[in-house]
Amino acid sequence: MKLNEKNHPQSAVLGLQHLLAMYSGSILVPIMIAGALNYSPAQLTYLISTDIFMCGVATFLQLQLNKYFGIGLPVVLGVAFQSVAPLSLIGAAHGSGAMFGALIVSGIFVLLIAGVFSKIVRFFPPIVTGSVITTIGLTLIPVAIGNMGDNADKPTGQSVLLAALTILIILLVNIFAKGFLKSISILIGLIAGTIIATFFGLVNFDAVASAPLVHVPTPFYFGMPKFELSSIAMMCIIAVVSLVESTGVYLALSDITGETLDAQRLRNGYRAEGLAVLLGGIFNTFPYTGFSQNVGLVKLSGIKTRLPIYYAAGFLVILGLLPKFGALAQIIPSPVLGGAMLVMFGMVSVQGMQILARVDFTHNEHNLLIAAVSIAAGVGLNNTQLFQSLPTGLQMFVTNGIVMASLLAVVLNLILNREKK
């Protein structure tokens, strides 16, 4: 379908499609982090609603095309999955203040390095990005498995059955549906799984009933930020990982739309992302990055204009101001979430493997070493008890699989492939 740039109704429909395609990914991150930190239902409602609102704001920022910030491509920004594990670790070890303080500083860090990073993207070739993205998916899969069993010591057969049915629905949609319906298979699985769960008596609407009709995002909702050094360093590393992932999204959209990206435009895109992360820290949400799942939808719809994405951003902002929509996400039972997470994180892993498939392993055995060591260390060291004798701040680094995989992949590539630079 080709879009007439002046056709606003058609643009609005396409914008709604983009919102639906990224909605499930956007609500999963706050649910996972709130679960890890034992936030109350009211706090989770705030997180989800403000997160959706900030997704819209971040997308608006990135849609701009001026001399200071904005990539100016039809890109949707959503929560970075790679932030789940480190933010959960920081929150558990140092509290919410340290978590959001680290986000604020990492946003400023991205703003400061945007110009330099636009010129050194070559240091993050497919061997690095593929290894890191594969590790992101693999390290999150155990979280999905935990939810499938309702995070219980002895999961019930009912929980496992509900998770399996959710996975089956997602698979059936992917197999038999086409186009847009296929692109929102995760969302369909979440809705259908929740409907089935109502017959088991597992759906509770109390959070929806108690949520206010309207709210306004509040700066420092969880208290004043704290600036803890090891937390800041970890989130700065995660910010760089997000920039690498976003670069792939921007280059893919550039290819689809036929627009040329130079270093200045990339710099402005990174600046917009840094500003979005900074605002996320201030309003107590999460870091934002280009959503790769929306790239396929851009290609599917054949759009060459940013107008549908402006509509998507507007819809996100409006939904973010209505907490009852955010509270709806809380009625999804854990086994249903776990089933959807399993598929989603598996797809993230496969996305990384697809990037690795473009790497030359035949004529360059060093690439095999880089991928093997970084992925194995990332998965193996994630949440390990191996370093319990180390200081807490250092433990957070070496037991975070995504951070370790990122550092090892970059360093090993610089050393082993230095002759190819």
Side-chain angles (χ1 to χ4, degrees), residues 116-130 132 240 244 247 270 370 406-415 417-421:
V116 175
F117 195 82
S118 66
K119 297 180 176 65
I120 64 167
V121 175
R122 64 191 180 90
F123 290 107
F124 299 90
I127 184 61
V128 173
T129 56
V132 171
V240 172
V244 174
T247 302
Y270 300 146
I370 295 165
S406 303
L407 288 173
L408 283 169
V410 170
V411 172
L412 288 174
N413 180 61
L414 287 173
I415 295 171
N417 287 334
R418 62 187 182 279
E419 295 175 1
K420 298 183 179 295
K421 291 284 179 278

Side-chain angles (χ1 to χ4, degrees), residues 148-403:
M148 287 173 67
D150 208 12
N151 294 305
D153 293 332
K154 294 182 178 180
T156 64
Q158 179 178 270
S159 297
V160 177
L161 174 62
L162 194 53
L165 286 173
T166 303
I167 294 170
L168 178 62
I169 291 165
I170 294 170
L171 290 175
L172 290 174
V173 173
N174 271 283
I175 292 168
F176 295 107
K178 294 181 180 180
F180 170 64
L181 282 178
K182 187 175 181 178
S183 74
I184 62 167
S185 60
I186 300 291
L187 184 62
I188 292 172
L190 286 170
I191 294 170
T194 302
I195 292 172
I196 294 171
T198 58
F199 295 102
F200 294 110
L202 298 178
V203 177
N204 188 332
F205 289 91
D206 289 349
V208 180
S210 60
L213 288 174
V214 178
H215 91 140
V216 177
T218 307
F220 311 122
Y221 175 86
F222 287 90
M224 294 304 292
K226 298 177 183 177
F227 301 102
E228 197 274 324
L229 188 59
S230 61
S231 303
I232 290 169
M234 184 183 294
M235 290 316 298
C236 286
I237 293 172
I238 294 299
V240 172
V241 174
S242 295
L243 289 183
V244 174
E245 183 180 2
S246 291
T247 302
V249 171
Y250 302 152
L251 292 175
L253 288 171
S254 171
D255 182 61
I256 293 170
T257 61
E259 294 197 33
T260 303
L261 288 183
D262 54 18
Q264 179 180 345
R265 200 160 167 183
L266 278 173
R267 178 204 67 190
N268 292 349
Y270 300 146
R271 282 180 178 174
E273 196 164 315
L275 186 55
V277 175
L278 172 59
L279 290 173
I282 292 172
F283 287 95
N284 291 176
T285 58
F286 308 109
Y288 298 93
T289 188
F291 251 31
S292 56
Q293 53 261 56
N294 285 77
V295 174
L297 201 50
V298 170
K299 192 169 185 178
L300 173 72
S301 60
I303 67 172
K304 304 289 184 182
T305 171
R306 289 167 284 161
L307 185 57
I309 314 302
Y310 271 111
Y311 273 104
F315 293 148
L316 284 166
V317 168
I318 293 168
L319 283 182
L321 296 174
L322 305 173
K324 288 194 182 292
F325 280 96
L328 275 173
Q330 295 189 54
I331 73 172
I332 306 171
S334 290
V336 175
L337 276 174
M341 286 177 182
L342 184 74
V343 179
M344 181 170 282
F345 299 151
M347 290 169 71
V348 172
S349 299
V350 172
Q351 181 187 358
M353 294 172 192
Q354 287 176 326
I355 296 172
L356 288 174
R358 304 200 300 264
V359 175
D360 181 9
F361 290 109
T362 304
H363 301 99
N364 185 359
E365 70 278 7
H366 290 162
N367 284 333
L368 189 62
L369 279 174
I370 295 165
V373 173
S374 57
I375 294 172
V379 175
L381 296 178
N382 194 58
N383 295 325
T384 182
Q385 304 298 314
L386 191 63
F387 303 108
Q388 282 189 317
S389 59
L390 296 178
T392 303
L394 191 54
Q395 276 189 53
M396 287 201 311
F397 268 99
V398 294
T399 61
N400 186 288
I402 299 167
V403 170

Side-chain angles (χ1 to χ4, degrees), residues 100-113:
F100 296 116
L103 277 179
I104 290 170
V105 176
S106 67
I108 296 170
F109 171 73
V110 171
L111 285 170
L112 292 175
I113 69 164

